[in-house]
Amino acid sequence: MKVRARAGDSLWYYSHLFRMPLNLILDSNNLATATALQIGQEINVPGFTSVAYSIRRGDTFWKLAAARNLSVDALLLLNQTVNANALTAGQTVFLPRRVTEAIVIGKKPYDFNTLSTDIEKLLNVYPFININTIGDSVLGKPIQEIRLGRGRRKVHMNASFHANEWITTAILMSFLNTYLLSLTNMNPVRGINSMNIYDSVDLSIVPMVNPDGVDLVVTGPPEEVSARVIKINRGSTDFTGWKANINGVDLNNQFPANWEIEEARKPKSPAPRDYPGEAPLTEPEAVVMEELARERSFDRLLAFHTQGKEFYWGYEGSEPPESRIIANEFARVSGYHAVQYVDSHAGYKDWFIQEFRRPGFTIELGKGINPLPLSQFDEIYAEALGIFLAALYM
């Protein structure tokens, strides 16, 4: 919600007026400190939307404010050209509405357009988040990063490395929405004070690493590559088993962590799954994720996949002792099985642990055959929310 500053207004006052943490208001306006406001200066107030309302007979700003648990001055601020003492029936005014319900509805087929729409909606209500395009997919779709928080500890999470695991994007975006609602409504999540997390953690989320592949599975092949992907898929137009990017390269077999082992035992040409490419980091999506990790030097990393209700937290003995402590907490809060080592290489988590000697985790959500059915969504969300939170508060 946008307001225009009046004489004597301050960000401190807006924080009090809307019961909104000052740091969220500062970050929504790209301000480091609560500097003096200029009359008419446009200010973003997070966690609110402005709703048009038609005045009814007997309405007053005092009655309207009281019914919504707001200060009268919140209405006066939003309606500076309105004579509050001379309201007339049918007159349109604007009322602040605190957002208390989720914007992201994850329990549905979740393709790139759905993600883009949800990101735009979240940014409109929560302008303290930053949206960065960190690169493009093979077909030119932007790979977007959502970033928020003021802290020194840098935590990264990602989803949909694999196309038919697109439910991970919907789950991760739902986790994010829960966190945002908690921040702006000052309600703890499972007893955790989210504002403490915001002030101590710099959170990076790439919700859809493989947008071309996700769209292939969810909506079907685009015309310009239809013949090629059908050929890779052995003539079938059923892409539910497709894990790779649109080039038929498995993005989670693309990283220089014993890539040669995977190359020797995996398909030798483009395939719906498992083909590691001609060399490490040949695919733009993998390159983007490698560059992001190097640029940001994350303190810990979580890659969300499906399925198995387990997670992997070690790689070739390169994981630090801290990883075991975090893994034990993840298992405690989720009921998922913690697995230190598996016979797998060249994954993003593998490379991150090998390269940086920092905690990295592959989280295998749910259980069954990919793509997991949406009937599992609520169960997955409830089980794995604890992992999302623990990754931030530990």
Side-chain angles (χ1 to χ4, degrees):
M1 180 180 73
K2 297 181 184 295
V3 300
R4 292 198 176 274
R6 306 163 300 188
D9 282 353
S10 69
L11 296 182
W12 286 101
Y13 177 63
Y14 292 162
S15 176
H16 172 76
L17 184 65
F18 293 104
R19 298 189 295 281
M20 188 63 55
L22 177 62
N23 280 351
L24 298 183
I25 296 178
L26 290 171
D27 292 349
S28 294
N29 294 281
N30 296 314
L31 296 172
T33 59
T35 54
L37 301 180
Q38 302 296 317
I39 295 176
Q41 181 179 350
E42 189 174 73
I43 296 296
N44 290 310
V45 178
F48 280 83
T49 59
S50 175
V51 179
Y53 176 81
S54 182
I55 294 293
R56 301 171 184 172
R57 186 179 301 276
D59 278 345
T60 67
F61 272 7
W62 288 262
K63 288 182 180 179
L64 292 172
R68 291 159 178 79
N69 197 26
L70 292 168
S71 166
V72 171
D73 200 37
L75 275 64
L76 296 174
L77 175 62
L78 209 58
N79 296 277
Q80 295 180 38
T81 61
V82 173
N83 184 346
N85 295 313
L87 299 178
T88 59
Q91 181 180 5
T92 298
V93 298
F94 292 91
L95 305 178
R97 184 181 71 84
R98 182 180 287 273
V99 177
T100 59
E101 297 180 349
I103 290 171
V104 174
I105 308 300
K107 197 174 180 179
K108 61 183 178 183
Y110 209 89
D111 62 5
F112 174 75
N113 284 336
T114 303
L115 171 65
S116 299
T117 299
D118 280 349
I119 288 176
E120 184 177 351
K121 289 178 180 178
L122 289 176
L123 183 61
N124 185 53
V125 176
Y126 306 105
F128 53 86
I129 67 176
N130 295 293
I131 309 301
N132 307 309
T133 296
I134 57 174
D136 296 303
S137 68
V138 172
L139 295 181
K141 294 185 178 75
I143 299 172
Q144 293 179 302
E145 177 201 33
I146 304 167
R147 191 176 180 188
L148 69 156
R150 293 181 149 227
R152 292 185 177 182
R153 187 165 74 252
K154 292 177 284 187
V155 178
H156 171 75
M157 303 181 185
N158 62 67
S160 289
F161 254 92
H162 287 146
N164 66 348
E165 298 173 10
W166 53 261
I167 197 172
T168 58
T169 296
I171 290 286
L172 187 51
M173 288 295 289
S174 297
F175 289 160
L176 172 64
N177 202 163
T178 296
Y179 180 38
L180 295 172
L181 281 167
S182 175
L183 287 168
T184 54
N185 290 283
M186 291 173 286
N187 295 326
V189 183
R190 294 190 178 176
I192 305 300
N193 184 318
S194 57
M195 201 64 215
N196 288 345
I197 292 175
Y198 186 86
D199 289 335
S200 61
V201 173
D202 177 354
L203 174 60
S204 161
I205 294 175
V206 177
M208 190 175 287
V209 176
N210 184 7
D212 298 342
V214 168
D215 279 359
L216 177 63
V217 173
V218 177
T219 62
E223 184 176 350
E224 65 268 27
V225 296
S226 179
R228 179 159 60 92
V229 295
I230 290 173
K231 182 178 179 181
I232 293 173
N233 206 34
R234 298 181 179 179
S236 173
T237 57
D238 179 1
F239 293 98
T240 55
W242 189 284
K243 294 176 65 175
N245 76 346
I246 206 71
N247 283 338
V249 176
D250 190 320
L251 296 176
N252 208 41
N253 278 327
Q254 265 276 285
F255 293 90
N258 288 312
W259 176 87
E260 296 79 7
I261 294 176
E262 297 304 308
E263 190 270 341
R265 63 187 182 183
K266 293 293 174 67
K268 308 304 180 187
S269 61
R273 56 177 294 158
D274 300 334
Y275 173 55
E278 295 181 352
L281 301 174
T282 60
E283 302 308 295
E285 301 92 344
V287 171
V288 162
M289 296 303 291
E290 190 261 359
E291 290 176 345
L292 180 68
R294 290 195 184 279
E295 176 185 342
R296 296 288 175 73
S297 189
F298 298 119
D299 294 300
R300 65 185 58 161
L301 175 148
L302 283 76
F304 287 93
H305 288 255
T306 57
Q307 47 83 32
K309 290 192 178 185
E310 61 187 14
F311 59 88
Y312 314 128
W313 59 273
Y315 186 69
E316 300 284 286
S318 296
E319 66 280 359
E322 177 189 3
S323 296
R324 182 181 297 275
I325 298 171
I326 298 171
N328 288 339
E329 181 67 359
F330 284 0
R332 185 188 72 83
V333 298
S334 67
Y336 279 24
H337 179 53
V339 180
Q340 186 171 8
Y341 300 128
V342 292
D343 183 20
S344 178
H345 305 274
Y348 193 47
K349 176 270 293 181
D350 307 330
W351 169 79
F352 178 81
I353 294 175
Q354 173 186 274
E355 187 71 16
F356 299 101
R357 301 298 198 271
R358 295 173 187 164
F361 304 87
T362 297
I363 315 295
E364 299 285 359
L365 302 175
K367 203 162 189 176
I369 298 174
N370 291 328
L372 294 181
L374 284 170
S375 59
Q376 286 196 29
F377 185 93
D378 294 339
E379 179 182 349
I380 292 171
Y381 175 88
E383 291 172 341
L385 177 60
I387 293 177
F388 174 83
L389 294 171
L392 299 177
Y393 68 66
M394 288 194 69

